[in-house]
């Protein structure tokens, strides 16, 4: 094979690798968007179910109390500045951004106000929608409040990323060191543990986000992200320590 053919094959491999990386990046971005949409959807639905069957006496006040409680957690327990902004300010900015794009930019609030105030000569259809909106008004307000809470939780979840990265990196280095020690000492190898531990890496990370963003009760973020980051690091350690190319 000539040098020109080698260069052409190498160029084709590079193009394929770039396309593969691009497609994987797009796939990850789409998965992240679907995760956020699903978490928001379930959090709102669970709040509505709770208002109807679990805490009907609290009603819309339950979502407002959750928002106030979790803002209190952030204000009391997280003080260090991140990227020039305190966690509290970052959480409020994120919640306001989510609220703006979902309810202000879409004119949702204006449409809601228009539906709730029909003119005196309104027709039956207009009056029907006005009565319907008034009937479910508390549920709409609760949904808006839960969306604001979702923005606060999203900010805290984003701020938890460095913890996952640092723990994952430390676990990877430690696991690779244990793997080299095992190989150099002639210890027996088995891919069974590796294949059992590897599938738990993504659930340990994604599951923490989904649970925290969707749980219908006020919860301190440390109760979710500390165990999840430890589990994430443990799975990476076991996977890297037990990695074996051949079965």
């Amino acid at each position: 094979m000539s040098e020109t053919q080698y260069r052409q094959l190498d160029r084709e491999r590079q193009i394929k690798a770039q396309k593969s990386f691009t497609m994987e990046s797009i796939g990850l971005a789409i998965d992240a968007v679907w995760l956020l949409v699903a978490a928001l959807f379930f959090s709102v639905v669970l709040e509505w179910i709770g208002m109807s069957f679990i805490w009907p006496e609290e009603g819309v006040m339950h979502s407002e109390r959750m928002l106030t409680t979790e803002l209190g957690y952030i204000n009391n327990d997280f003080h260090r500045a991140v990227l020039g902004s305190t966690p509290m300010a970052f959480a409020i900015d994120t919640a306001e951004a989510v609220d703006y794009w979902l309810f202000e930019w879409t004119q949702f609030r204006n449409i809601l106000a228009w539906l709730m105030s029909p003119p005196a000569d309104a027709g039956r259809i207009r009056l029907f929608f006005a009565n319907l909106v008034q009937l479910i008004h508390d549920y709409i307000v609760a949904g808006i409040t839960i969306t604001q809470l979702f923005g606060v939780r999203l900010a805290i979840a984003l701020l938890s990323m460095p913890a996952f990265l640092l723990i994952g990196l430390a676990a990877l280095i430690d696991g690779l060191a244990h793997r080299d020690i095992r190989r150099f000492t002639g210890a027996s190898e088995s891919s069974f543990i590796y294949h059992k531990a590897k599938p738990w890496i993504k659930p340990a990370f994604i599951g923490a986000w989904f649970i925290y963003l969707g749980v219908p009760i006020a919860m301190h973020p440390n109760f979710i992200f500390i165990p999840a980051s430890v589990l994430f690091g443990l799975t990476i350690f076991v996977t890297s320590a037990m990695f074996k190319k051949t079965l």
Side-chain angles (χ1 to χ4, degrees):
M1 185 178 290
S2 65
E3 183 178 353
T4 303
Q5 290 175 323
Y6 274 118
R7 290 180 178 177
Q8 185 177 358
L9 287 175
D10 184 63
R11 178 61 177 170
E12 290 177 356
R13 293 192 191 100
Q14 291 179 358
I15 293 175
K16 289 181 179 179
Q18 291 176 355
K19 289 183 178 179
S20 177
F21 177 77
T22 301
M23 294 304 297
E24 289 180 358
S25 300
I26 294 174
L28 288 174
I30 294 175
D31 290 342
V33 171
W34 277 113
L35 171 67
L36 296 179
V37 171
L40 177 58
F41 174 78
F42 279 105
S43 62
V44 173
V45 170
L46 289 175
E47 179 66 21
W48 287 346
I49 293 174
M51 289 176 60
S52 300
F53 303 104
I54 303 175
W55 50 80
E57 67 284 351
E58 288 188 82
V60 71
M61 296 298 295
H62 179 267
S63 58
E64 296 175 355
R65 180 174 57 81
M66 286 175 57
L67 178 60
T68 302
T69 301
E70 299 214 4
L71 286 174
Y73 290 151
I74 300 171
N75 188 48
N76 295 331
D77 299 333
F78 302 95
H79 302 288
R80 291 188 177 183
V82 178
L83 300 177
S85 175
T86 63
M88 183 67 171
F90 181 65
I92 292 176
D93 290 342
T94 304
E96 290 178 349
V98 172
D99 182 82
Y100 171 78
W101 288 108
L102 291 181
F103 303 117
E104 295 294 340
W105 184 79
T106 60
Q107 300 296 315
F108 177 83
R109 283 193 172 90
N110 293 335
I111 295 174
L112 186 64
W114 179 79
L115 288 174
M116 292 185 63
S117 55
D121 57 346
R124 292 183 179 180
I125 297 178
R126 179 71 183 278
L127 290 175
F128 169 78
F129 281 105
N131 293 331
L132 178 62
V133 170
Q134 291 177 1
L135 182 65
I136 62 174
H137 180 262
D138 285 352
Y139 290 88
I140 296 175
V141 173
I144 294 174
T145 305
I146 289 297
T147 304
Q148 295 172 343
L149 176 62
F150 176 85
V152 172
R153 288 178 170 178
L154 177 61
I156 298 303
L158 291 173
L159 293 177
S160 73
M161 289 289 291
F164 281 90
L165 293 176
L166 291 175
I167 292 176
L169 180 61
L172 177 62
I173 295 173
D174 196 18
L176 292 176
H178 278 73
R179 177 175 179 267
D180 288 339
I181 293 173
R182 188 185 72 250
R183 294 178 63 194
F184 294 152
T185 56
S188 60
E189 290 189 335
S190 174
S191 61
F192 176 79
I193 299 178
Y194 165 77
H195 288 291
K196 291 296 182 182
K198 184 180 177 181
W200 286 94
I201 295 178
K202 288 181 68 175
F205 177 74
I206 297 176
W209 275 59
F210 190 83
I211 293 173
Y212 180 61
L213 293 176
V215 66
I217 59 174
M219 180 174 292
H220 199 289
N222 288 346
F223 293 151
I224 297 291
F225 290 113
I226 290 179
S229 60
V230 172
L231 179 60
F232 178 74
L234 181 62
T235 54
I236 290 182
F237 169 78
V238 174
T239 302
S240 57
M242 297 299 173
F243 174 74
K244 185 182 179 184
K245 291 185 179 179
T246 58
L247 296 177

